Amino acid sequence: MSNKTLTALPLTAAGYAPYGDVIQARTDAKDITGANQGTAEKYHWTASIVNNHPNNGGKSNMCVFHCRPTKELPFKCKILERHPYSSQAFVPMNAGNTRGYLVIVALNGEDDKPDMSTLKAFICSNVQGVNYAAGIWHHPMIALEAETDFACLVHESGINEDDCQVVSVEEWIVDVPGYTA
């Protein structure tokens, strides 16, 4: 068993800020306008969508990830990935089937690998999306409780090393309070 442990915290915009953006309608949003003839509010700029692919090589890819729930909690984090030139946004599409999902993130280190001293885990509610900033190391999506579909927006060039880089990391055990497998 690993002696590296981490407890997942509830996702907040402030806690997640070093890694990207929380996508949700928030009452503290700075730019909200009326929409749809007064029947809606539009929350502007909820995420920084970035395409830094060289030579305009990345194309917008709106895709869906269909994720099965993890069968192991506490969760064992053994890999991380990053998208060096693109942000990557995920928005859950089946809010009624699960209370949430797990996100694990880390900043890039001086050796161009994950800085494991910055590793954080967040429990995201079923009404929160996340946007990984370009170059942020993260675990692939981790559904909790039920199969979960995520709408995903990422820019991809078709060059594997530019689109997604995956590394093995020393195993960390992530406790997810309030959830069982």
Side-chain angles (χ1 to χ4, degrees):
M1 179 110 169
S2 171
N3 63 357
K4 305 282 187 179
T5 59
L6 186 63
T7 299
L9 302 172
L11 182 69
T12 65
Y16 189 74
Y19 309 98
D21 310 295
V22 175
I23 303 169
Q24 73 180 114
R26 295 192 350 237
T27 56
D28 65 343
K30 295 184 181 5
D31 193 0
I32 305 171
T33 57
N36 300 352
Q37 299 174 331
T39 63
E41 292 79 37
K42 182 177 180 181
Y43 294 75
H44 297 270
W45 313 112
T46 60
S48 296
I49 305 302
V50 173
N51 178 4
N52 291 330
H53 277 272
N55 304 314
N56 297 318
K59 294 180 182 176
S60 298
N61 181 4
M62 175 60 81
C63 51
V64 174
F65 280 76
H66 178 79
C67 300
R68 287 168 289 288
T70 183
K71 294 179 182 189
E72 187 172 36
L73 289 175
F75 185 80
K76 293 179 181 173
C77 177
K78 301 175 189 176
I79 65 165
L80 293 173
E81 67 180 47
R82 71 174 174 182
H83 309 274
Y85 300 112
S86 177
S87 55
Q88 187 180 36
F90 285 93
V91 179
M93 296 193 307
N94 51 352
N97 295 337
T98 181
R99 292 178 290 150
Y101 58 101
L102 178 64
V103 166
I104 302 171
V105 289
L107 299 176
N108 195 45
E110 291 181 16
D111 60 354
D112 207 28
K113 300 287 185 210
D115 177 352
M116 298 306 281
S117 72
T118 67
L119 190 71
K120 299 278 186 197
F122 297 96
I123 300 169
C124 309
S125 80
N126 60 10
V127 296
Q128 293 175 308
V130 293
N131 183 52
Y132 300 115
I136 289 296
W137 292 98
H138 58 278
H139 193 279
M141 297 307 291
I142 307 159
L144 300 170
E145 300 179 320
E147 291 184 11
T148 304
D149 289 338
F150 295 92
C152 173
L153 177 60
V154 63
H155 295 89
E156 296 176 320
S157 67
I159 301 169
N160 290 341
E161 187 66 16
D162 287 351
D163 289 342
C164 184
Q165 300 168 348
V166 181
V167 296
S168 296
V169 296
E170 182 179 4
E171 180 178 285
W172 279 72
I173 304 298
V174 180
D175 184 38
V176 186
Y179 287 84
T180 58

